[in-house]
Structure formats: structure tokens, C-alpha cells
Amino acid sequence: MGQGREGMEYDLKAMDLEIKAIEERTKKLRELGNGFVAVERNADSILTFVYLLKRNISDLIE
Amino acid sequence: MKEEKKYWNPAMETLPRERLVEIELRRFREHLRWSQENSPFYKKKFRGIEPEDIRTLEDLAKVPLTEKDELREAQVGKEPYLYGDLLAVPPERLSVYHQTSGTTGKPVYVPDTYESWQWTVEVWCYILYAAGFRPTDRVFLPFVYNVYIAFWQGHYAAEKLGCEIVPGGGLETKARIQKMMEVKATGLMNTPTYGLHMLEVAKEMGIDPKRDLTIKRMICAGEPMPEPTRLRLEEGWGADVFDHLGGTEPGGWAGMCSQKKGMHVIEPHFLLEMIDLETMSKPISPGVKGVAVITSFCRRPIPLIRFNLKDIMMVRDDPCACGRTSIRVDQVGGRVDDLRKIRGVFFSPSVVEEVIRGKFPQVVEFETILTQEGIMPVLTLRVEMEPSLAESQQKERCKVIREQLKIRTNLTFEIESVKPGGLPRYTLKSARFKDATKK
């Protein structure tokens, strides 16, 4: 668990698991939409924000 | 009632320092390896350096500094066009182009992929959130659609944060002021110079921004903002004014919190080092002026590793009351490029701004010119004062300015009074120091 100074507890590990699950499912979606540009590009956008979540959250886990 | 949140990322912004350093060192190793493997420039520059050897902050010195001139040289005349040997991603992945202003030479071209651009926007979210920008804000952006990076990230970060953006780029200054009044804008982003210029124009229009406008917070970018300038903006606008540190190559890397005492480095997205001004290598302690060196971890198209910012800064070591654990820096002495040794004394033009903005509210605009008479360097300060000031009062002020500058710099200035409107006004970066001794 991580704790912010605002007194709230954050379950970073649980968040990390969800982030990884979104990543996996988005990659799967991208594969399913191979050649379907609207799917590929939007899946790439989702993966960009997954990358930011990993930098913001997953990287903090020891 | 829901409690007001203080942090964009409460977990990261309050991590113990040792954890921040640990993450930064890990990211440094990863980024160094990435750069060696993907950028021909860094492959050559860092040949023989083993990322796994970087285990402590002291180990960073094993990696040579990166200078802006090297970035330029790596781009000139090399393929792929524009970015040359610096580029570390396939060109088809690029989605955004920006460039430096080129004030110190040929511009550096800085591209982003969608991913790296979104990361630069993300770090700006930290900056805006610390400055109090919230979804309830209507933010006015008076910047023009162009190739320079200033405010683009601010625009997208404010949007991501949930603010309502009012793009005021296509308007001239009077129309911008009218528009801010019409829409009741609460936030504003501009250069300090333009913030002061708008105050002057508003006054001509019979508008008092403090009374007639609704700006609550302003974030400044694009040029250094000495504390007296920040305070003058706060007084004129009746708003909280925040500074930030950033550049085209690294992105926005530090911002001011509600305490307004220095700027928090956005750790561990960036790693800041401070090195000795004389040797340009030895690390220095907090409280001592030095040169800032930055590594930005997620801008992969053109990696930036131990980049010499050439900005003179000082790290604070007292804990910040806001609770953030990242280190804080003050921009204390302008840029290394602007430093001149005059009659044996180091002179930084930023001192002139500190003196003028801090002690002489009657000065509307100013510029410092360095010339040479024979072998003697001559510093001339040209000042433009409030038109309401009588000639005798202006002469008296000039005398006091000369005395104050002598006390602060140990140098004697020639003071020249200029008629109203006689000095240039700037909307982006100002150029208030001119070295006429340079051919």
C-alpha cells in the first residue's frame, strides 16, 4: 500500500494489476483489429495512456 | 464536502527521497541503454559506458555532459532530414514537431511521437496542478500557433486536467484583454514580459486587471522570472503567479507549488544535477549556486541525457510545507551564456531586472547594452519611465537607479532616459540585454 500525505491509502499493487490487465486486453484488441486502422490507432492511443499509468504508478512499486 | 486534493500524483509526489533517487537511477540506466541502442549520436558519444555501472548519484559523472551545440551538429546534414543522428525512433512514428528559438545559434529540431508528446503533457499536469489549476478554471492562452513549444504543453495539460481552454492566439493584446473580461477567465498562461505588457495596455484602456478581470492564477513560461517581477505581476493582476522551469529539449521539468518558494523538480520523471560553475563538472551542495544539468527520462525520439541547461540555479534543502518530497530549485543568476566578466566582476543581466522590478515601479521598460570604448567595457541602462513622471523626477530616479545598480553589481552604469514607447515590447522571449561588443 502506498500512502499519500492527504491521509488516503492507495493500493498501488492492485492498481498495477489493473494497468497490466488493460495493457494485455488492449494489445489483444489491436491484434484482432489488425489492418482495421480505426481499431489499431485507437488501441495505440490507449496503450500510450497505459504507458503513462505505468510510469506514474507501476514504477513506484518496489 | 469533498476535500480539495493537493497532488496530481499523491503517491509519487510524496515518496521518500531515497526511493525517488532509486527510481531515477534505475530509469537512468534504462534510458542510457535505450539511447546507446537507438540513437547513432549517443551510440558514438557513450561508447564504452556500461549502464549497469551507474549505481549511485556519484556514478553519473562517468557519463559526459551533453551540450546543445552537439545536438545541433548531430542534426546538420545528416539523414533522416532534420533530426539526423539524434533520432532514436523510426521517423514514421513522429507526430509533433517543435524547435528551439535559435537565439544562440541554429535551432535544434525536437520531434515527438504521440507517446512522448503525451508524456510531456503529463509532466505539465504536475506543474499546473501544483499551481492550483483545477477543472473549475477557464484558462486563457494568449499564445500564437507556431513552431515554438512554449504553452503547447500547457494548453494540452490544462485540457487534460479538465480546465476549459479559451484560445486567444489570433487576437491582438487589446482584444485579448477584452476577451478575458468577457469570458471571465480565471487562469492565464504567458511569459512574464507579456504579463507586464498586458498590464500596461490594460491601463491605457482604462482597465484595472485587479478590479475588472477575474484572473486568479497565472503560470509563466518562456523566460526567467526574478522574484520582484513575479511580485509585480501578482500585484498588477491581483492573482497568484507561478513560475515553472522547462525548455524545448527536456520539456517542463519543475514547477512552483502554493508555497511559492522555489520550484519542485518533477521527480522521478526527471533527474536534476547541479554542478560547479567554474569546473563544470564537480557536483555542488544545496545552497550553492551552480549550473543545472537535466536528464529527461521519457522523451525517447531525441533522448536527453545529462543535458547542460547552462542555467544558474541553486537547490534548496529545507523541506517544503506543501509535503512534496522532490528537490526544489531557485533560478538565481540567469544563463551561463549571458554571464560577462566586466572590469574583473562577474555580471549577470538578470540582476538588472531584479533591481528594476524590485525597486522602481515607475520603470515601464528597460534594456542593458554592453559596448566598448577603447579597452573599457561600458554598461548602459536605457530606461523608459511612466509618462506621468516629470523630467526632474525622471532625472532623480535615474540617479537612484545608478546608485542601486552600483551597490548590487559593483559596476558603474550609464543611465539613459528614453521617451515613452521608445523601447521595444516583447510578447514572447524578451531581449533586454544586448552585447554590442560581439561582432
Side-chain angles (χ1 to χ4, degrees):
Chain A
M1 297 282 254
Q3 180 151 14
R5 299 266 165 107
E6 288 160 332
M8 286 178 70
E9 286 211 335
Y10 301 94
D11 191 339
L12 298 180
K13 282 185 180 160
M15 284 197 246
D16 178 51
L17 283 176
E18 289 301 324
I19 293 165
K20 282 176 179 147
I22 296 167
E23 183 177 30
E24 206 174 302
R25 294 191 70 157
T26 310
K27 282 180 175 168
K28 204 169 177 180
L29 171 66
R30 202 188 184 287
E31 270 174 37
L32 288 170
N34 188 21
F36 193 146
V37 186
V39 173
E40 283 179 349
R41 300 302 288 170
N42 280 299
D44 283 344
S45 296
I46 296 171
L47 289 171
T48 288
F49 294 103
V50 166
Y51 167 77
L52 296 178
L53 284 167
K54 285 166 78 177
R55 289 289 173 171
N56 276 331
I57 302 297
S58 309
D59 277 10
L60 307 188
I61 297 166
E62 287 176 73
Chain B
M1 198 173 152
K2 209 174 171 186
E3 196 192 342
E4 175 68 6
K5 298 276 184 285
K6 273 164 68 178
Y7 310 109
W8 175 250
N9 183 339
M12 186 175 272
E13 291 177 83
T14 58
L15 267 188
R17 283 228 48 79
E18 57 275 17
R19 277 288 293 138
L20 284 172
V21 171
E22 202 181 298
I23 296 168
E24 283 160 36
L25 287 169
R26 189 180 74 217
R27 286 183 171 181
F28 190 94
R29 291 189 290 274
E30 286 167 7
H31 200 50
L32 181 58
R33 188 172 297 286
W34 161 269
S35 308
Q36 287 172 318
E37 288 172 356
N38 293 281
S39 157
F41 166 75
Y42 284 112
K43 186 178 182 179
K44 193 173 161 195
K45 182 176 172 70
F46 295 149
R47 184 167 290 145
I49 296 170
E50 183 47 58
E52 286 311 307
D53 288 346
I54 313 298
R55 312 307 303 185
T56 66
L57 290 175
E58 289 70 36
D59 290 339
L60 294 170
K62 293 174 184 169
V63 179
L65 296 182
T66 302
E67 303 289 343
K68 194 168 195 153
D69 286 345
E70 291 181 282
L71 303 184
R72 282 193 197 102
E73 283 160 23
Q75 291 188 329
V76 174
K78 298 192 177 87
E79 292 297 325
Y81 181 63
L82 285 183
Y83 310 119
D85 284 349
L86 271 184
L87 197 64
V89 297
E92 63 273 18
R93 285 196 56 208
L94 301 177
S95 62
V96 186
Y97 165 95
H98 289 104
Q99 63 167 78
T100 62
S101 59
T103 40
T104 54
K106 199 179 177 305
V108 176
Y109 304 116
V110 183
D112 275 293
T113 59
Y114 184 71
E115 184 182 272
S116 71
W117 179 248
Q118 290 304 326
W119 171 78
T120 69
V121 170
E122 179 74 15
V123 290
W124 251 87
C125 287
Y126 283 80
I127 292 167
L128 289 183
Y129 209 82
F133 284 75
R134 294 293 182 271
T136 45
D137 279 309
R138 180 172 289 143
V139 183
F140 190 83
L141 281 110
F143 84 110
V144 212
Y145 191 95
N146 65 21
V147 294
Y148 306 120
I149 206 157
F151 304 111
W152 280 112
Q153 292 149 340
H155 172 108
Y156 288 112
E159 187 185 276
K160 183 170 182 175
L161 220 128
C163 303
E164 183 185 354
I165 308 292
V166 183
L171 307 171
E172 50 85 47
T173 302
K174 284 182 181 169
R176 285 169 175 168
I177 293 166
Q178 293 283 11
K179 186 57 73 182
M180 277 190 274
M181 200 150 69
E182 178 193 332
V183 302
K184 294 192 182 339
T186 57
L188 181 58
M189 296 186 202
N190 45 244
T191 60
T193 293
Y194 193 61
L196 291 171
H197 177 61
M198 281 195 284
L199 286 178
E200 203 187 338
V201 175
K203 198 174 173 186
E204 283 166 24
M205 294 165 75
I207 291 171
D208 175 3
K210 201 170 14 177
R211 183 194 62 209
D212 303 323
L213 272 76
T214 44
I215 299 297
K216 289 181 187 151
R217 58 192 62 82
M218 172 192 295
I219 191 140
C220 289
E223 57 185 6
M225 178 163 61
E227 185 64 4
T229 303
R230 197 186 67 74
L231 293 174
R232 193 184 269 206
L233 284 166
E234 286 205 329
E235 168 57 27
W237 284 90
D240 285 313
V241 175
F242 299 89
D243 201 359
H244 104 288
L245 294 168
T248 312
E249 301 93 336
W253 57 270
M256 213 171 230
C257 69
S258 57
Q259 304 297 310
K260 300 175 187 164
K261 289 177 182 162
M263 284 165 272
H264 287 274
V265 178
I266 316 297
E267 293 184 280
H269 288 297
F270 296 91
L271 189 158
L272 175 75
E273 300 167 71
M274 295 295 295
I275 57 170
D276 176 56
L277 196 54
E278 294 283 333
T279 63
M280 291 299 282
S281 62
K282 213 175 117 193
I284 54 156
S285 312
V288 179
K289 277 185 192 179
V291 181
V293 170
I294 197 90
T295 299
S296 106
F297 291 124
C298 300
R299 207 120 179 242
R300 288 190 155 182
I302 290 191
L304 212 57
I305 295 175
R306 300 200 80 219
F307 182 60
N308 182 2
L309 288 166
K310 294 192 173 179
D311 281 318
I312 303 167
M313 296 186 185
M314 193 162 70
V315 166
R316 288 172 175 247
D317 59 355
D318 52 321
C320 186
C322 78
R324 286 176 181 81
T325 48
S326 54
I327 53 174
R328 279 176 300 150
V329 279
D330 283 317
Q331 200 163 24
V332 287
R335 288 186 53 76
V336 174
D337 287 341
D338 289 338
L339 267 186
R340 297 288 184 280
K341 206 165 192 179
I342 298 171
R343 293 173 224 149
V345 176
F346 271 117
F347 167 70
S348 169
S350 65
V351 176
V352 178
E353 181 168 356
E354 279 176 40
V355 171
I356 295 295
R357 299 291 188 221
K359 293 180 188 289
F360 301 96
Q362 311 84 354
V363 175
V364 177
E365 196 48 86
F366 65 93
E367 68 178 16
T368 310
I369 302 170
L370 177 64
T371 52
Q372 191 134 358
E373 281 177 16
I375 56 160
M376 287 299 285
V378 177
L379 275 167
T380 305
L381 178 71
R382 305 179 75 213
V383 287
E384 189 186 316
M385 297 206 197
E386 291 269 7
S388 56
L389 237 61
E391 203 181 322
S392 58
Q393 289 173 306
Q394 292 201 14
K395 275 186 182 161
E396 173 57 26
R397 288 284 84 191
C398 284
K399 200 178 143 210
V400 183
I401 289 171
R402 187 181 155 100
E403 286 165 6
Q404 288 294 320
L405 285 172
K406 176 78 181 174
I407 293 167
R408 272 302 295 276
T409 65
N410 209 20
L411 291 165
T412 303
F413 281 69
E414 300 294 325
I415 312 290
E416 189 187 314
S417 186
V418 177
K419 66 177 187 335
L423 290 177
R425 301 296 193 268
Y426 303 94
T427 54
L428 270 173
K429 280 188 180 188
S430 58
R432 294 194 179 92
F433 176 63
K434 289 169 184 158
D435 185 349
T437 64
K438 279 189 172 176
K439 298 286 176 233

Short mmCIF file of all heavy atoms in Angstrom, two decimals, chain A residues 3-6 8 10 12 45 48-49 51-52 55-56 59-62, chain B residues 5-7 9-10 12 14 19 26-27 114-115 122 126 269 298 323 325:
data_model
loop_
_atom_site.label_atom_id
_atom_site.label_comp_id
_atom_site.label_asym_id
_atom_site.label_seq_id
_atom_site.Cartn_x
_atom_site.Cartn_y
_atom_site.Cartn_z
N GLN A 3 0.91 5.44 0.65
CA GLN A 3 0.11 6.44 1.37
C GLN A 3 0.50 7.83 0.94
O GLN A 3 1.65 8.24 1.02
CB GLN A 3 0.31 6.30 2.87
CG GLN A 3 -0.53 7.34 3.63
CD GLN A 3 -0.94 6.86 4.99
OE1 GLN A 3 -0.41 5.90 5.50
NE2 GLN A 3 -1.88 7.54 5.60
N GLY A 4 -0.50 8.59 0.46
CA GLY A 4 -0.28 9.99 0.12
C GLY A 4 -0.37 10.81 1.39
O GLY A 4 -0.93 10.36 2.40
N ARG A 5 0.13 12.01 1.36
CA ARG A 5 0.09 12.88 2.55
C ARG A 5 -1.30 13.40 2.85
O ARG A 5 -1.53 14.05 3.83
CB ARG A 5 1.06 14.05 2.36
CG ARG A 5 2.50 13.65 2.18
CD ARG A 5 3.25 13.67 3.50
NE ARG A 5 4.50 12.97 3.38
CZ ARG A 5 5.69 13.57 3.34
NH1 ARG A 5 5.78 14.85 3.44
NH2 ARG A 5 6.78 12.86 3.24
N GLU A 6 -2.24 13.12 1.91
CA GLU A 6 -3.59 13.59 2.16
C GLU A 6 -4.33 12.61 3.07
O GLU A 6 -5.52 12.73 3.30
CB GLU A 6 -4.33 13.75 0.83
CG GLU A 6 -3.83 14.95 0.06
CD GLU A 6 -4.15 14.88 -1.42
OE1 GLU A 6 -4.26 13.77 -1.96
OE2 GLU A 6 -4.26 15.94 -2.03
N MET A 8 -4.95 9.50 2.55
CA MET A 8 -5.64 8.40 1.88
C MET A 8 -4.66 7.30 1.55
O MET A 8 -3.50 7.57 1.24
CB MET A 8 -6.29 8.89 0.59
CG MET A 8 -7.52 9.72 0.83
SD MET A 8 -8.20 10.32 -0.71
CE MET A 8 -8.82 8.80 -1.40
N TYR A 10 -3.49 4.22 -0.86
CA TYR A 10 -3.65 3.80 -2.24
C TYR A 10 -3.07 2.41 -2.38
O TYR A 10 -1.93 2.17 -1.95
CB TYR A 10 -2.94 4.76 -3.18
CG TYR A 10 -3.45 6.18 -3.06
CD1 TYR A 10 -2.82 7.10 -2.21
CD2 TYR A 10 -4.56 6.59 -3.78
CE1 TYR A 10 -3.30 8.38 -2.09
CE2 TYR A 10 -5.05 7.88 -3.65
CZ TYR A 10 -4.41 8.77 -2.81
OH TYR A 10 -4.88 10.04 -2.68
N LEU A 12 -1.37 0.50 -4.51
CA LEU A 12 -0.61 0.61 -5.76
C LEU A 12 -0.50 -0.73 -6.48
O LEU A 12 -0.55 -0.80 -7.70
CB LEU A 12 0.80 1.17 -5.49
CG LEU A 12 0.85 2.58 -4.89
CD1 LEU A 12 2.31 3.00 -4.67
CD2 LEU A 12 0.18 3.61 -5.79
N SER A 45 -3.51 4.59 -28.97
CA SER A 45 -3.72 5.73 -28.04
C SER A 45 -3.94 5.22 -26.62
O SER A 45 -3.40 5.78 -25.66
CB SER A 45 -4.91 6.57 -28.49
OG SER A 45 -4.64 7.14 -29.74
N THR A 48 -0.74 4.30 -25.13
CA THR A 48 0.05 5.47 -24.71
C THR A 48 -0.32 5.85 -23.27
O THR A 48 0.55 6.09 -22.43
CB THR A 48 -0.22 6.66 -25.66
OG1 THR A 48 0.41 6.38 -26.90
CG2 THR A 48 0.30 7.97 -25.11
N PHE A 49 -1.60 5.86 -22.99
CA PHE A 49 -2.02 6.26 -21.64
C PHE A 49 -1.74 5.15 -20.62
O PHE A 49 -1.49 5.43 -19.45
CB PHE A 49 -3.48 6.73 -21.66
CG PHE A 49 -3.63 7.99 -22.47
CD1 PHE A 49 -4.15 7.98 -23.75
CD2 PHE A 49 -3.15 9.20 -21.97
CE1 PHE A 49 -4.21 9.14 -24.52
CE2 PHE A 49 -3.20 10.37 -22.72
CZ PHE A 49 -3.73 10.34 -24.00
N TYR A 51 0.95 3.41 -20.84
CA TYR A 51 2.38 3.68 -20.60
C TYR A 51 2.53 4.76 -19.52
O TYR A 51 3.35 4.64 -18.61
CB TYR A 51 3.01 4.11 -21.92
CG TYR A 51 4.38 4.71 -21.81
CD1 TYR A 51 5.51 3.91 -21.63
CD2 TYR A 51 4.56 6.09 -21.92
CE1 TYR A 51 6.77 4.48 -21.54
CE2 TYR A 51 5.83 6.66 -21.84
CZ TYR A 51 6.93 5.85 -21.64
OH TYR A 51 8.18 6.41 -21.56
N LEU A 52 1.71 5.82 -19.60
CA LEU A 52 1.80 6.89 -18.60
C LEU A 52 1.39 6.39 -17.22
O LEU A 52 1.99 6.75 -16.21
CB LEU A 52 0.93 8.09 -19.01
CG LEU A 52 1.36 8.79 -20.30
CD1 LEU A 52 0.40 9.93 -20.65
CD2 LEU A 52 2.78 9.36 -20.18
N ARG A 55 4.27 4.54 -15.81
CA ARG A 55 5.30 5.47 -15.32
C ARG A 55 4.87 6.12 -14.01
O ARG A 55 5.70 6.41 -13.15
CB ARG A 55 5.58 6.55 -16.38
CG ARG A 55 6.32 6.02 -17.58
CD ARG A 55 7.74 5.69 -17.19
NE ARG A 55 8.48 5.03 -18.23
CZ ARG A 55 9.79 4.81 -18.15
NH1 ARG A 55 10.49 5.16 -17.11
NH2 ARG A 55 10.42 4.19 -19.13
N ASN A 56 3.59 6.39 -13.88
CA ASN A 56 3.07 7.09 -12.69
C ASN A 56 2.85 6.16 -11.50
O ASN A 56 2.92 6.59 -10.36
CB ASN A 56 1.77 7.79 -13.01
CG ASN A 56 1.98 9.16 -13.64
OD1 ASN A 56 2.98 9.82 -13.38
ND2 ASN A 56 1.04 9.59 -14.46
N ASP A 59 5.86 1.94 -11.77
CA ASP A 59 7.27 2.14 -11.47
C ASP A 59 7.56 2.41 -9.99
O ASP A 59 8.71 2.36 -9.57
CB ASP A 59 7.81 3.34 -12.29
CG ASP A 59 8.20 2.93 -13.70
OD1 ASP A 59 7.89 1.78 -14.09
OD2 ASP A 59 8.81 3.75 -14.40
N LEU A 60 6.53 2.73 -9.24
CA LEU A 60 6.76 3.08 -7.83
C LEU A 60 6.80 1.85 -6.92
O LEU A 60 7.21 1.92 -5.77
CB LEU A 60 5.65 4.01 -7.30
CG LEU A 60 5.37 5.27 -8.11
CD1 LEU A 60 4.39 6.16 -7.33
CD2 LEU A 60 6.64 6.05 -8.38
N ILE A 61 6.35 0.73 -7.50
CA ILE A 61 6.28 -0.49 -6.67
C ILE A 61 7.68 -1.09 -6.54
O ILE A 61 8.38 -1.26 -7.52
CB ILE A 61 5.30 -1.50 -7.29
CG1 ILE A 61 3.91 -0.86 -7.29
CG2 ILE A 61 5.29 -2.81 -6.53
CD1 ILE A 61 2.91 -1.59 -8.16
N GLU A 62 8.05 -1.38 -5.30
CA GLU A 62 9.41 -1.92 -5.04
C GLU A 62 9.53 -3.35 -5.53
O GLU A 62 8.61 -4.12 -5.46
CB GLU A 62 9.71 -1.84 -3.55
CG GLU A 62 9.97 -0.40 -3.12
CD GLU A 62 10.18 -0.31 -1.62
OE1 GLU A 62 11.24 -0.73 -1.14
OE2 GLU A 62 9.29 0.25 -0.95
N LYS B 5 -8.00 18.20 -3.29
CA LYS B 5 -6.77 17.42 -3.49
C LYS B 5 -5.59 18.34 -3.74
O LYS B 5 -5.71 19.34 -4.43
CB LYS B 5 -6.95 16.47 -4.70
CG LYS B 5 -8.07 15.45 -4.51
CD LYS B 5 -7.58 14.26 -3.74
CE LYS B 5 -8.61 13.18 -3.60
NZ LYS B 5 -9.66 13.49 -2.62
N LYS B 6 -4.44 17.96 -3.20
CA LYS B 6 -3.26 18.81 -3.35
C LYS B 6 -2.32 18.35 -4.46
O LYS B 6 -1.56 19.13 -5.00
CB LYS B 6 -2.45 18.78 -2.04
CG LYS B 6 -2.90 19.81 -1.02
CD LYS B 6 -2.37 19.49 0.35
CE LYS B 6 -0.88 19.64 0.49
NZ LYS B 6 -0.41 19.36 1.86
N TYR B 7 -2.37 17.04 -4.73
CA TYR B 7 -1.36 16.49 -5.64
C TYR B 7 -1.97 15.89 -6.89
O TYR B 7 -3.03 15.26 -6.83
CB TYR B 7 -0.56 15.38 -4.93
CG TYR B 7 -0.01 15.76 -3.58
CD1 TYR B 7 -0.54 15.21 -2.42
CD2 TYR B 7 1.01 16.69 -3.48
CE1 TYR B 7 -0.04 15.56 -1.17
CE2 TYR B 7 1.53 17.04 -2.24
CZ TYR B 7 1.00 16.48 -1.09
OH TYR B 7 1.49 16.82 0.13
N ASN B 9 -0.29 13.47 -8.38
CA ASN B 9 0.04 12.07 -8.13
C ASN B 9 0.50 11.94 -6.68
O ASN B 9 1.69 12.09 -6.38
CB ASN B 9 1.16 11.62 -9.09
CG ASN B 9 1.52 10.16 -8.94
OD1 ASN B 9 1.25 9.54 -7.91
ND2 ASN B 9 2.15 9.59 -9.96
N PRO B 10 -0.46 11.70 -5.76
CA PRO B 10 -0.11 11.72 -4.33
C PRO B 10 0.93 10.67 -3.93
O PRO B 10 1.70 10.89 -3.00
CB PRO B 10 -1.45 11.46 -3.62
CG PRO B 10 -2.35 10.91 -4.66
CD PRO B 10 -1.88 11.43 -5.98
N MET B 12 3.46 9.46 -5.91
CA MET B 12 4.79 9.81 -6.43
C MET B 12 5.33 11.09 -5.79
O MET B 12 6.51 11.19 -5.46
CB MET B 12 4.71 9.99 -7.94
CG MET B 12 6.05 10.21 -8.62
SD MET B 12 5.89 10.26 -10.40
CE MET B 12 6.02 8.54 -10.79
N THR B 14 4.98 12.32 -2.95
CA THR B 14 5.35 12.28 -1.53
C THR B 14 6.25 11.08 -1.20
O THR B 14 6.42 10.74 -0.03
CB THR B 14 4.07 12.21 -0.65
OG1 THR B 14 3.32 11.05 -1.03
CG2 THR B 14 3.20 13.44 -0.81
N ARG B 19 13.75 6.69 -2.17
CA ARG B 19 13.01 5.92 -3.18
C ARG B 19 13.02 6.66 -4.52
O ARG B 19 13.16 6.06 -5.58
CB ARG B 19 11.55 5.71 -2.73
CG ARG B 19 11.34 4.57 -1.79
CD ARG B 19 11.49 3.21 -2.47
NE ARG B 19 10.44 2.93 -3.46
CZ ARG B 19 10.65 2.37 -4.63
NH1 ARG B 19 11.86 2.02 -5.00
NH2 ARG B 19 9.65 2.15 -5.48
N ARG B 26 17.50 3.86 -11.65
CA ARG B 26 17.05 2.74 -12.48
C ARG B 26 16.63 3.25 -13.87
O ARG B 26 17.02 2.71 -14.89
CB ARG B 26 15.86 2.04 -11.80
CG ARG B 26 15.46 0.74 -12.48
CD ARG B 26 14.30 0.09 -11.77
NE ARG B 26 13.05 0.80 -12.04
CZ ARG B 26 12.08 0.98 -11.15
NH1 ARG B 26 12.19 0.54 -9.92
NH2 ARG B 26 10.98 1.62 -11.49
N ARG B 27 15.87 4.36 -13.87
CA ARG B 27 15.43 4.94 -15.14
C ARG B 27 16.63 5.46 -15.95
O ARG B 27 16.62 5.41 -17.18
CB ARG B 27 14.44 6.08 -14.89
CG ARG B 27 13.08 5.57 -14.46
CD ARG B 27 12.08 6.67 -14.28
NE ARG B 27 10.75 6.12 -14.08
CZ ARG B 27 9.66 6.86 -13.90
NH1 ARG B 27 9.74 8.17 -13.87
NH2 ARG B 27 8.48 6.28 -13.73
N TYR B 114 3.58 10.32 -30.55
CA TYR B 114 2.35 10.57 -29.80
C TYR B 114 2.59 10.26 -28.31
O TYR B 114 2.19 11.01 -27.43
CB TYR B 114 1.21 9.71 -30.36
CG TYR B 114 -0.12 9.98 -29.71
CD1 TYR B 114 -0.79 11.17 -29.95
CD2 TYR B 114 -0.70 9.06 -28.84
CE1 TYR B 114 -2.02 11.44 -29.34
CE2 TYR B 114 -1.92 9.32 -28.23
CZ TYR B 114 -2.57 10.52 -28.49
OH TYR B 114 -3.77 10.78 -27.88
N GLU B 115 3.32 9.17 -28.08
CA GLU B 115 3.58 8.74 -26.70
C GLU B 115 4.46 9.74 -25.94
O GLU B 115 4.13 10.14 -24.83
CB GLU B 115 4.27 7.37 -26.73
CG GLU B 115 4.52 6.77 -25.38
CD GLU B 115 5.24 5.43 -25.51
OE1 GLU B 115 4.55 4.42 -25.66
OE2 GLU B 115 6.48 5.40 -25.46
N GLU B 122 1.77 15.20 -19.68
CA GLU B 122 1.56 14.64 -18.34
C GLU B 122 2.41 15.38 -17.30
O GLU B 122 1.91 15.75 -16.23
CB GLU B 122 1.94 13.15 -18.35
CG GLU B 122 1.80 12.42 -17.02
CD GLU B 122 0.35 12.15 -16.64
OE1 GLU B 122 -0.54 12.25 -17.49
OE2 GLU B 122 0.12 11.83 -15.44
N TYR B 126 1.46 17.93 -13.68
CA TYR B 126 2.03 18.08 -12.33
C TYR B 126 2.24 19.58 -12.03
O TYR B 126 1.95 20.04 -10.94
CB TYR B 126 3.39 17.38 -12.24
CG TYR B 126 3.36 15.87 -12.11
CD1 TYR B 126 3.17 15.06 -13.22
CD2 TYR B 126 3.55 15.25 -10.88
CE1 TYR B 126 3.17 13.68 -13.11
CE2 TYR B 126 3.55 13.87 -10.76
CZ TYR B 126 3.36 13.08 -11.89
OH TYR B 126 3.35 11.72 -11.77
N HIS B 269 10.38 11.75 -12.93
CA HIS B 269 10.32 11.84 -14.40
C HIS B 269 11.59 12.50 -14.94
O HIS B 269 11.93 12.35 -16.10
CB HIS B 269 9.09 12.64 -14.83
CG HIS B 269 7.80 11.90 -14.64
ND1 HIS B 269 7.51 10.74 -15.30
CD2 HIS B 269 6.73 12.15 -13.84
CE1 HIS B 269 6.31 10.32 -14.94
NE2 HIS B 269 5.82 11.15 -14.04
N CYS B 298 11.58 10.22 -20.44
CA CYS B 298 10.58 9.58 -21.31
C CYS B 298 10.48 10.20 -22.70
O CYS B 298 9.57 9.87 -23.43
CB CYS B 298 9.22 9.60 -20.63
SG CYS B 298 9.24 8.72 -19.07
N GLY B 323 4.44 19.43 1.37
CA GLY B 323 4.51 17.98 1.55
C GLY B 323 5.19 17.24 0.41
O GLY B 323 5.45 16.04 0.51
N THR B 325 8.12 15.86 -1.78
CA THR B 325 9.46 15.48 -1.33
C THR B 325 10.52 15.73 -2.41
O THR B 325 11.71 15.48 -2.18
CB THR B 325 9.48 13.99 -0.95
OG1 THR B 325 8.85 13.25 -2.01
CG2 THR B 325 8.74 13.74 0.35
#
